Amino acid sequence: MNLKKYGFMPEMMKEIGNITSEASAIPARVTAVHRERYQLVCEYGEIYARLKIKEYYVEFEEFPTTGDFVLINYIPNSDSQIVKTLPRKTFFSRLDPTPGRGEQAVAANFDYVFVMQSLNHDFNEKRLERYMTLAWQSGATPIIVLTKADLLEEYEEYIRTIEFIAPGVEVYAVSSKTGYGMEKLEKYLKPENTVVFLGSSGVGKSSLVNALAGEEIMNVNGIREDDSKGRHTTTHRQLIMLKSGAMIIDTPGMRGLGMWDVSTGLYEAFGDVEQYLGKCRFSDCKHRTEPGCAIKRAIEDGGLSQERFESYLKLKNEARYSDDKTAYMRDKVKWHKEVAKNSKRMKADKKKYGGKY
């Protein structure tokens, strides 16, 4: 299999000889993560692999996620070994919902983020602000996709709301059911390009994948008509190759997305707020009752809404690891100690699953 079709660039090969002692290691791309087992594509086709304990549980190599390029020790007729996670060009992560585990990888090495909201009761401004912050932080280009356009005849009000929240970001209304607007997405789906879908359950990610693929490759669940909420169709992150040669990383619906080091994302998503920061009379202004506060003046003059400023503060305060490096390192060390304990159990699995650990 030609890995270049999956976005692997020849210049990545130059780095391989300098970053691993595994002379026989070959590159691969992660297409899905199933607990402790990884689905990959490499020159030998589609295979499965597990992490090599020494590199990942002793030396704390960065755990791979869907979309990552990795180096593997290929083992025929058994699970191969992943020995190295290659540097990422883009990376989307969130705060792990399990307390104490810190950062959770979601997807890597993509070109665009399709931030998806549906044109029904599920449309949520606060959630869109959160998604846009994470999309900008990833380093890729965010595109807002409004699904289920067949449900409304007029959606200009939604467009105006989005233009206020995300000025300058491309917005497209589409319908997977009727095909409306689908052709406008084709320019992002070129061969070797990777797009990650970001949206809550019921937003229509799986339906959009099927529409773009031109075939039923994803299961689609219905939604409850009373609140427009759906069940999770995608249960794990997976990379899907379309006939066009473009790739889609579909993620499970995530209503709760904890912030993790989103300094860049906040600057991009809340430029209307940050333009006033540093312009107050006092450098330590808390933007409450202090005189000469640029934020207060902007709100009073109508240049900034109180709701936007409160959203900004909420997301910034939530991203505590970005501002508190001590807490970040403390939790990271704690997590590494926990996963190190699992190494003994994983060694015991080698006879069951095969391969050399």
Side-chain angles (χ1 to χ4, degrees), residues 114 155 171-174 180-188:
F114 279 10
Y155 47 82
V171 183
Y172 301 97
V174 303
Y180 174 81
M182 298 295 294
E183 73 283 354
K184 296 179 181 179
L185 302 180
E186 292 177 359
K187 62 181 178 180
Y188 305 108

Side-chain angles (χ1 to χ4, degrees), residues 4 47 49 59 67-68 76 118 141 150 175 200 205 208 212-213 218 248 255 257 305 307 346:
K4 187 177 183 297
I47 64 170
E59 299 177 355
D68 264 322
S118 59
T141 301
D150 54 284
S175 171
S200 60
K205 296 192 302 296
L208 185 58
L212 293 172
M218 299 288 292
I248 292 174
R255 290 186 177 273
L257 281 178
S305 73
E307 291 75 16
M346 293 183 67

Side-chain angles (χ1 to χ4, degrees), residues 74-320:
Y74 177 69
I75 302 175
N77 304 317
S78 183
D79 284 351
S80 297
Q81 295 177 318
I82 301 176
V83 299
K84 179 72 179 179
T85 304
L86 295 178
R88 297 156 170 159
K89 68 176 183 179
T90 54
F91 178 48
F92 168 50
S93 67
R94 67 171 178 171
L95 184 65
D96 196 308
T98 303
R101 292 195 174 184
E103 186 178 26
Q104 181 189 60
V106 176
N109 297 312
F110 42 87
D111 302 282
Y112 301 100
V113 182
F114 279 10
V115 179
M116 300 173 63
Q117 291 265 283
S118 59
L119 292 170
N120 58 15
H121 301 305
D122 194 58
F123 186 88
N124 187 299
E125 296 178 32
K126 300 301 181 184
R127 189 183 304 135
L128 180 59
E129 290 175 332
R130 180 178 295 265
Y131 284 162
M132 288 302 301
T133 301
L134 291 167
W136 280 118
Q137 184 68 27
S138 73
T141 301
I143 307 296
I144 298 176
V145 179
L146 299 176
T147 61
K148 307 181 183 180
D150 54 284
L151 298 179
L152 294 176
E153 292 185 3
E154 303 289 339
Y155 47 82
E156 284 73 15
E157 183 178 346
Y158 289 93
I159 299 294
R160 287 193 293 269
T161 298
I162 291 171
E163 289 176 344
F164 176 74
I165 294 175
V169 177
E170 295 290 337
V171 183
Y172 301 97
V174 303
S175 171
S176 301
K177 183 177 181 180
T178 66
Y180 174 81
M182 298 295 294
E183 73 283 354
K184 296 179 181 179
L185 302 180
E186 292 177 359
K187 62 181 178 180
Y188 305 108
L189 299 168
K190 302 297 183 182
E192 301 177 21
N193 275 0
T194 302
V195 177
V196 63
F197 282 12
L198 181 59
S200 60
S201 57
V203 76
K205 296 192 302 296
S206 297
S207 295
L208 185 58
V209 170
N210 290 338
L212 293 172
E215 57 181 320
E216 297 293 321
I217 60 177
M218 299 288 292
N219 293 325
V220 178
N221 287 332
I223 62 173
R224 300 194 299 263
E225 295 298 334
D226 55 344
D227 59 7
S228 298
K229 294 181 179 179
R231 296 174 293 170
H232 297 294
T233 301
T234 305
T235 58
H236 59 276
R237 296 177 292 278
Q238 55 187 317
L239 184 147
I240 301 165
M241 174 69 77
L242 302 181
K243 293 178 181 178
S244 66
M247 290 155 283
I248 292 174
I249 297 179
D250 189 25
T251 62
M254 293 177 286
R255 290 186 177 273
L257 281 178
M259 299 290 102
W260 179 275
D261 192 5
V262 289
S263 54
T264 301
L266 280 172
Y267 175 80
E268 297 287 353
F270 288 87
D272 56 331
V273 176
E274 296 224 346
Q275 65 176 316
Y276 298 107
L277 299 181
K279 297 182 179 180
C280 300
R281 181 185 303 175
F282 303 105
S283 59
D284 60 347
C285 183
K286 303 299 182 183
H287 316 301
R288 296 172 183 167
T289 59
E290 297 87 348
C293 175
I295 294 291
K296 288 173 53 183
R297 186 185 310 115
I299 294 175
E300 292 171 357
D301 295 344
L304 177 67
S305 73
Q306 182 69 39
E307 291 75 16
R308 279 287 284 174
F309 182 56
E310 290 176 356
S311 293
Y312 172 82
L313 290 179
K314 180 179 179 181
L315 295 183
K316 186 173 183 179
N317 290 336
E318 188 178 328
R320 59 190 181 276

